[in-house]
């Protein structure tokens, strides 16, 4: 029997209706459309406004979209991984709630947190379960409600992030399609540059932490930018080299959508023409764990069976990496 690989066999997605445009942000903080567009490539982002709804709301919608499109019985799903940095509530798993709500009653489930690399790590984890023949149907959802941890008086961060969710189904493949190779890394040196100071075990929530605004994302943008360019490009180069690929063999670069300049730097280093680079940052901003599956969701029709996809991400921690995957189907 030929080797089993883990292939993406369906995609779903969801973004909230509410659009927060650069123009609206101009009235909220000292910024302007020209600065945001030229420094980040972002024009607008989606915000989940529904009261009492968290990340699971979007994760469930993305999963339901996938289940309806693929016409699968959710009872056949064996594992649900929710990649997220903004779980609904501490302690109780967002994935457990999501799995139950979508009717995946025979699955076990867990959250996976690696900031903006969460989805990439989750893809790797899920693929191992498939390759080992342990499970045959795994749902990986990347979802984040970044608006729940952003200070909308801080122009350094509020212009960047947005809310959204994307989902993929992983199944065994015997045609040599699916995940081919991965290069994943982390480095705790990054902890100081992109984080939320309070609310964790080091500095639990108190009146003082709230008064001092320590429950919001804090980012030293310039430092993170430099690391992101270098590490993401490096990971992509390693993956290409290891698999004897050049830019010409790559059909699509699927890069984390944090900043258009980071995407351009990585794709230039791979000598990729612009038309091979998937981008939707102008519409959604940085949705953290959701950027990669939302790209697949938006561009699913462009992807053809056998296409070579190179995923790349970089995020807080630091965490980063690249995955080489052969696309497994043509969508109608
Ligand atoms: O996804 C997880 C990983 N995260 C990332 O990859 C994000 C990496 N970092 C970035 O994308 C960029 O660093 C930012 C978009 C966050 C910032 O862009 P930058 O080109 O690095 O700007 P900067 O922070 O160096 O600021 C340049 C200037 C400063 O003014 P002065 O000191 O030169 O007078 C800032 O105060 O731009 C100012 N500035 C702004 N101006 C208008 C900073 N934010 C804004 C703003 N509007 N929103």
């Amino acid at each position: 029997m030929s080797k089993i690989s883990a292939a993406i066999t369906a995609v779903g997605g969801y973004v909230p209706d509410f659009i927060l445009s650069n123009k609206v942000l101009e009235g909220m903080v000292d910024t302007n459309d020209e600065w945001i567009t030229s420094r980040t490539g972002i024009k607008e982002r989606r915000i989940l406004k529904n009261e009492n709804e968290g990340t699971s709301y979007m994760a469930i919608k993305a999963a339901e979209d996938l289940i309806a499109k693929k016409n699968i019985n959710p009872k056949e799903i064996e594992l649900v991984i929710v990649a997220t940095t903004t779980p609904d509530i501490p302690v109780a798993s967002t994935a457990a709630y999501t799995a139950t709500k979508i009717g995946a009653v025979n699955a076990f489930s867990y959250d996976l947190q690696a900031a903006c690399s969460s989805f990439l790590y989750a893809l790797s984890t899920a693929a191992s379960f498939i390759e080992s023949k342990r499970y045959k149907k795994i749902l990986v959802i990347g979802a984040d409600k970044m608006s729940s941890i952003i200070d909308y008086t801080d122009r350094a961060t509020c212009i960047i992030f947005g809310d959204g969710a994307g989902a993929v189904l992983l199944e065994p493949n015997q045609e040599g399609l699916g995940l081919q190779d991965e290069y994943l890394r982390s480095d705790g040196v990054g902890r100081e540059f992109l984080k939320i100071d309070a609310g964790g075990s080091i500095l639990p929530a108190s009146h003082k932490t709230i008064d001092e605004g320590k429950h919001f994302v804090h980012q030293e943008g310039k430092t993170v930018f430099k690391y992101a360019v270098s590490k993401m490009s490096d990971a992509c180069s390693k993956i290409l080299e290891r698999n004897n690929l050049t830019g010409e063999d790559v059909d699509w670069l699927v890069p984390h959508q944090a900043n258009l300049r980071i995407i351009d730097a990585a794709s230039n280093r791979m000598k990729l023409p612009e038309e091979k680079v998937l981008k939707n940052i102008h519409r959604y901003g940085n949705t953290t764990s959701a950027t990669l599956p939302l790209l697949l969701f938006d561009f699913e029709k462009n992807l053809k069976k056998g296409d070579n996809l190179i995923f790349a991400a970089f995020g807080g921690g630091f965490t980063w990496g690249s995955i080489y995957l052969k696309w497994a189907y043509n969508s109608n």
Side-chain angles (χ1 to χ4, degrees):
M1 202 167 87
S2 56
K3 189 175 164 272
I4 302 273
S5 52
I8 293 176
T9 57
V11 174
Y14 173 79
V15 289
D17 292 333
F18 184 86
I19 295 174
L20 178 58
S21 67
N22 290 352
K23 214 67 234 122
V24 172
L25 278 169
E26 282 182 8
M28 293 165 66
V29 287
D30 181 13
T31 192
N32 57 77
D33 176 47
E34 200 283 324
W35 191 95
I36 301 172
T37 307
S38 62
R39 303 309 292 166
T40 70
I42 302 166
K43 292 302 261 184
E44 57 188 44
R45 55 301 283 139
R46 300 300 181 102
I47 306 292
L48 183 63
K49 287 281 189 184
N50 314 19
E51 257 177 59
N52 298 319
E53 300 288 8
T55 293
S56 68
Y57 178 83
M58 298 181 289
I60 291 164
K61 293 262 187 206
E64 285 175 345
D65 177 54
L66 182 152
I67 288 165
K69 265 161 61 186
K70 179 80 173 164
N71 196 19
I72 53 165
N73 181 349
K75 289 186 178 149
E76 290 171 10
I77 299 169
E78 296 164 289
L79 167 60
V80 176
I81 303 177
V82 173
T84 188
T85 287
T86 52
D88 282 358
I89 51 176
V91 183
S93 151
T94 300
Y97 185 75
T98 301
T100 298
K101 283 289 175 186
I102 62 172
V105 290
N106 296 314
F108 76 111
S109 56
Y110 56 85
D111 297 352
L112 193 154
Q113 201 279 92
C116 294
S117 305
S118 303
F119 183 79
L120 211 59
Y121 285 17
L123 208 53
S124 157
T125 310
S128 312
F129 281 125
I130 300 272
E131 288 157 6
S132 69
K133 302 183 191 149
R134 198 128 156 196
Y135 304 113
K136 290 194 176 69
K137 265 193 174 45
I138 303 181
L139 195 60
V140 178
I141 307 169
D144 266 307
K145 184 183 170 185
M146 294 306 291
S147 61
S148 65
I149 53 171
I150 294 300
D151 175 1
Y152 283 93
T153 65
D154 175 15
R155 69 175 184 175
T157 50
C158 74
I159 55 126
I160 299 169
F161 294 98
D163 303 338
V168 300
L169 184 68
L170 283 189
E171 293 185 281
N173 183 284
Q174 294 189 37
E175 298 174 83
L177 303 171
L179 197 146
Q180 306 293 308
D181 193 15
E182 65 180 34
Y183 176 88
L184 304 174
R185 289 293 183 274
S186 62
D187 186 344
V189 73
R191 175 141 119 169
E192 290 310 308
F193 305 118
L194 179 47
K195 62 175 175 176
I196 295 177
D197 281 308
S201 56
I202 293 180
L203 188 58
S206 67
H207 287 291
K208 188 164 180 280
T209 60
I210 291 170
D211 291 345
E212 290 173 349
K214 289 196 166 158
H215 293 269
F216 295 121
V217 169
H218 170 79
Q219 173 172 242
E220 285 188 29
K222 254 192 179 7
T223 310
V224 178
F225 185 94
K226 278 187 203 149
Y227 271 96
V229 168
S230 132
K231 297 296 186 187
M232 229 163 88
S233 304
D234 186 51
C236 292
S237 302
K238 292 245 170 36
I239 275 283
L240 292 190
E241 259 169 54
R242 263 173 26 177
N243 293 279
N244 295 318
L245 300 172
T246 68
E248 287 195 359
D249 304 307
V250 175
D251 293 293
W252 307 104
L253 176 65
V254 191
H256 175 50
Q257 308 285 294
N259 187 315
L260 191 58
R261 290 183 291 139
I262 299 176
I263 299 169
D264 288 344
S267 55
N268 288 341
R269 213 168 123 183
M270 292 165 76
K271 299 196 175 65
L272 286 184
E274 204 172 341
E275 58 272 18
K276 287 187 173 184
V277 185
L278 300 188
K279 293 175 216 172
N280 55 14
I281 188 170
H282 55 293
R283 295 169 61 206
Y284 307 140
N286 182 348
T287 55
T288 302
S289 312
T291 61
L292 300 180
L294 274 176
L295 282 172
L296 300 178
F297 175 65
D298 277 359
F299 291 94
E300 186 184 17
K301 288 199 163 47
N302 300 62
L303 309 176
K304 298 280 168 272
K305 190 173 176 179
D307 278 358
N308 287 327
L309 275 62
I310 302 291
F311 291 84
F314 181 88
F318 291 133
T319 57
W320 71 94
S322 179
I323 283 182
Y324 167 32
L325 178 138
K326 276 187 181 290
W327 197 247
Y329 65 96
N330 296 316
S331 68
N332 308 316

